[in-house]
Each structure stands twice: as structure tokens, then as C-alpha cells.
Amino acid sequence: MSPSSAERQEGMSPELDSLGATLAGDALNLLADGRDLNVLLVVQACNGAVTSYDVSDDGVEACLMGARETVRSLAADADAHDPKAPVRYAIAYEGAVADDDGSYHDALMLEFGERGYRAYSAYSLVAGRGAHEDFQWSDPAPAGEIEPLL
């Protein structure tokens, strides 16, 4: 049984920070090169092994739901004490963020969570997709707490 939101720790572990930063870097490189960015998912097990998924068989919303379901399914299928049980995850995908005047800007969206912690989302604004060295991105900004998948 998953702990309630009130029972979960705030913040993130250094391991989750590293997992999310690596995924974000890989996604930004794809955008800088002008390549397709599908919904990307990385899941790290208790033993440190990282498994990557590239979800691309449908629209972004359906792929995002599929990535989230993959995390839930991996957790449901594993004993929490199994060294291969998922302990943290990060998801990256393309989206848009509205500013104060209602204009939308392209963004790399991130979701991340870890067993026993609250889950969060963040975004980096992006410009110049496919512009290689001229590609621009902002530092990640928090987008709020989301439903934990583990």
C-alpha cells in the first residue's frame, strides 16, 4: 500500500536529481538536433539498474499515460524488497507553458518521483529546435506536485 501524500517526504534524493538531470539533458540534445522527442521514461531499480523506455506509438497524451502506467505496473509486479523493484523514475516530453498574458511557449516537461517521496513536475522553456549550437533552454522551473506513481 502506498503512503498518503502527508506521509511522504518532501524534496528529492541526489539519485533522483541525477536521474532526472540526465534524462533532461538527453531530451534537450534531441531537441537541439531537431529529432523527434517521444515520451521518454527512465526507471531506476533498488539495485541501481536503469531501464529506459521511448514511448511513441500514439499521441503525446496517450504515450504519457502509457509511461505512467508502465511505472505503476513495474511497481505492482515487484516485491518492494526485490533488488529489481523500481525505486525512482523520470519522464520527459514536449509540451507548452502559458505565461501571464496567455501566450504559450514550447517547453520540455519533466515528471519525477521516488518511492516514499512526493512526486513533482518541472519544465524548461526551449527555443530554436534543430538549431544545434543556437538551441536555447531555460533552467528548470518547478511546475508543482503531481500524483506519485510509486
Side-chain angles (χ1 to χ4, degrees):
M1 181 172 189
S2 297
S4 72
S5 183
E7 297 170 327
R8 291 177 176 272
Q9 297 181 55
E10 290 188 34
M12 71 170 66
S13 69
E15 294 84 2
L16 179 58
D17 186 38
S18 177
L19 186 72
T22 299
L23 179 63
D26 291 346
L28 290 169
N29 286 337
L30 288 171
L31 292 173
D33 290 343
R35 295 189 296 178
D36 287 338
L37 175 62
N38 302 311
V39 174
L40 304 177
L41 165 65
V42 290
V43 179
Q44 188 170 34
C46 294
N47 65 7
V50 175
T51 304
S52 299
Y53 302 84
D54 185 329
V55 186
S56 61
D57 56 347
D58 210 332
V60 173
E61 283 299 318
C63 290
L64 182 55
M65 288 186 340
R68 291 173 180 150
E69 186 52 40
T70 297
V71 175
R72 288 184 190 106
S73 178
L74 289 169
D77 292 346
D79 179 313
H81 301 291
D82 181 345
K84 295 180 184 175
V87 67
R88 62 189 60 88
Y89 66 91
I91 301 171
Y93 56 98
E94 285 185 89
V97 176
D99 62 18
D100 292 337
D101 70 6
S103 299
Y104 283 87
H105 303 280
D106 292 338
L108 173 65
M109 310 300 290
L110 300 167
E111 297 181 6
F112 43 91
E114 184 165 14
R115 188 183 316 136
Y117 284 80
R118 294 181 179 180
Y120 301 98
S121 62
Y123 66 92
S124 291
L125 298 176
V126 297
R129 182 187 178 126
H132 303 284
E133 293 81 29
D134 293 328
F135 176 74
Q136 299 175 346
W137 67 95
S138 68
D139 287 337
E145 189 173 339
I146 57 174
E147 176 189 350
L149 303 177
L150 295 176

